[in-house]
Amino acid sequence: MLQFFSKYKFFGIVLLVLSVVIIFSIYQVLVPKKTLKIYQPSDVNASLVDSTLQYKKKYHSIGDFSLINQNGETITQEYYKDKIYIADFFFTTCVTICPVMTDHMVQIQKELKDKQDILLLSHTVTPEIDTVAQLKRYAVKKGVDDSKWNLVTGDKKQIYDLARKSYLAAKDVPYNEYDLVHTENFVLVDKKRRIRGFYDGTKPETIEQLLEDIKILEKEE
């Protein structure tokens, strides 16, 4: 009997390995991979979407831009080409939601410090106050990694159009020079400049969800 088992031991091991491989393959086929939704303007609360885009159901992406970061460098969409990134809107003199949001961005920066293809982008909504020098002081104070995170200023209308027409992150109201975008939204953008998620930047639990969603998105890309 022992001689019989010894003779067929190799075949038994091979059969076991093949069985495991087959079961795993079937599992992979039957269990769908997690993917993130691709958001279109029609998926978002109409109050957050420019009226010209409210019924758009496909092909939405972040528009081109040209802004200046905390180091006086021009930052365009090319800087984020083939990158995943998280965008938000803030201002350095804000004493309500912005400090909490910035602290959460710092947390995200720390969690993703070794991920070279994942970046951060924060737009000031008071560019008349948040000059390059002011953004630099704020960046140093908060521990911003210049290679990872751009704080940008520039033309106010361009920034507000980005918030409303590209990122779908702020209430759609007619633009005027006294306008103030004040939104808690963090927006997750993929390598094709598509919106893949919205997160309340003031809540720790949604930051954890954002980090988990980034892992899913990385597997998609």
Side-chain angles (χ1 to χ4, degrees):
M1 182 66 73
L2 290 175
Q3 187 177 7
F4 174 83
F5 283 115
S6 177
K7 183 178 180 180
Y8 291 100
K9 180 180 179 181
F10 173 76
F11 296 103
I13 293 172
V14 171
L15 183 61
L16 177 62
V17 171
L18 284 174
S19 298
V20 171
V21 170
I22 291 169
I23 291 170
F24 179 76
S25 299
I26 293 172
Y27 176 82
Q28 290 291 91
V29 171
L30 294 179
V31 178
K33 291 182 179 179
K34 286 186 177 181
T35 58
L36 299 182
K37 181 181 179 66
I38 299 172
Y39 283 87
Q40 304 297 336
S42 61
D43 298 319
V44 180
N45 186 318
S47 68
L48 299 177
V49 182
D50 184 89
S51 58
T52 62
L53 299 172
Q54 286 177 359
Y55 301 103
K56 187 175 182 179
K57 296 183 178 180
K58 55 184 178 180
Y59 306 131
H60 181 74
S61 62
I62 305 303
D64 293 350
F65 58 88
S66 181
L67 298 164
I68 308 297
N69 75 359
Q70 66 268 27
N71 296 309
E73 300 165 336
T74 298
I75 300 298
T76 73
Q77 68 283 348
E78 289 301 309
Y79 188 92
Y80 291 87
K81 185 177 181 180
D82 297 325
K83 305 290 185 184
I84 294 169
Y85 71 96
I86 302 101
D88 77 334
F89 295 83
F90 81 113
F91 55 107
T92 62
T93 55
C94 169
V95 295
T96 54
I97 63 174
C98 299
V100 178
M101 292 169 62
T102 300
D103 287 346
H104 283 152
M105 275 291 208
V106 171
Q107 176 191 343
I108 293 168
Q109 174 185 252
K110 182 178 179 181
E111 293 284 345
L112 303 175
K113 64 180 180 179
D114 297 323
K115 302 280 188 178
Q116 295 184 358
D117 63 340
I118 305 177
L119 302 174
L120 310 178
L121 177 60
S122 293
H123 310 72
T124 178
V125 296
T126 58
E128 66 278 11
I129 296 172
D130 290 334
T131 61
V132 169
Q134 174 70 0
L135 289 180
K136 186 61 178 179
R137 285 191 291 269
Y138 190 80
V140 171
K141 179 181 177 181
K142 296 296 183 179
V144 170
D145 178 351
D146 289 343
S147 67
K148 192 81 174 173
W149 185 1
N150 286 304
L151 313 182
V152 291
T153 188
D155 178 71
K156 185 174 182 177
K157 187 175 187 305
Q158 180 186 175
I159 293 170
Y160 280 45
D161 282 348
L162 282 168
R164 290 171 175 144
K165 296 181 180 181
S166 282
Y167 293 104
L168 314 178
K171 287 188 176 181
D172 178 38
V173 297
Y175 173 79
N176 67 74
E177 62 179 310
Y178 303 108
D179 197 3
L180 180 65
V181 163
H182 207 204
T183 174
E184 72 281 3
N185 282 314
F186 283 5
V187 183
L188 178 60
V189 181
D190 70 15
K191 293 181 180 181
K192 296 180 181 178
R193 298 163 66 176
R194 302 174 301 186
I195 296 174
R196 305 305 296 272
F198 296 94
Y199 309 84
D200 187 332
T202 67
K203 295 181 178 179
E205 61 270 24
T206 62
I207 303 306
E208 292 302 320
Q209 184 61 57
L210 169 58
L211 292 169
E212 288 301 312
D213 285 353
I214 287 173
K215 293 177 184 177
I216 295 171
L217 188 55
E218 284 184 287
K219 293 177 182 178
E220 284 186 39
E221 298 291 344

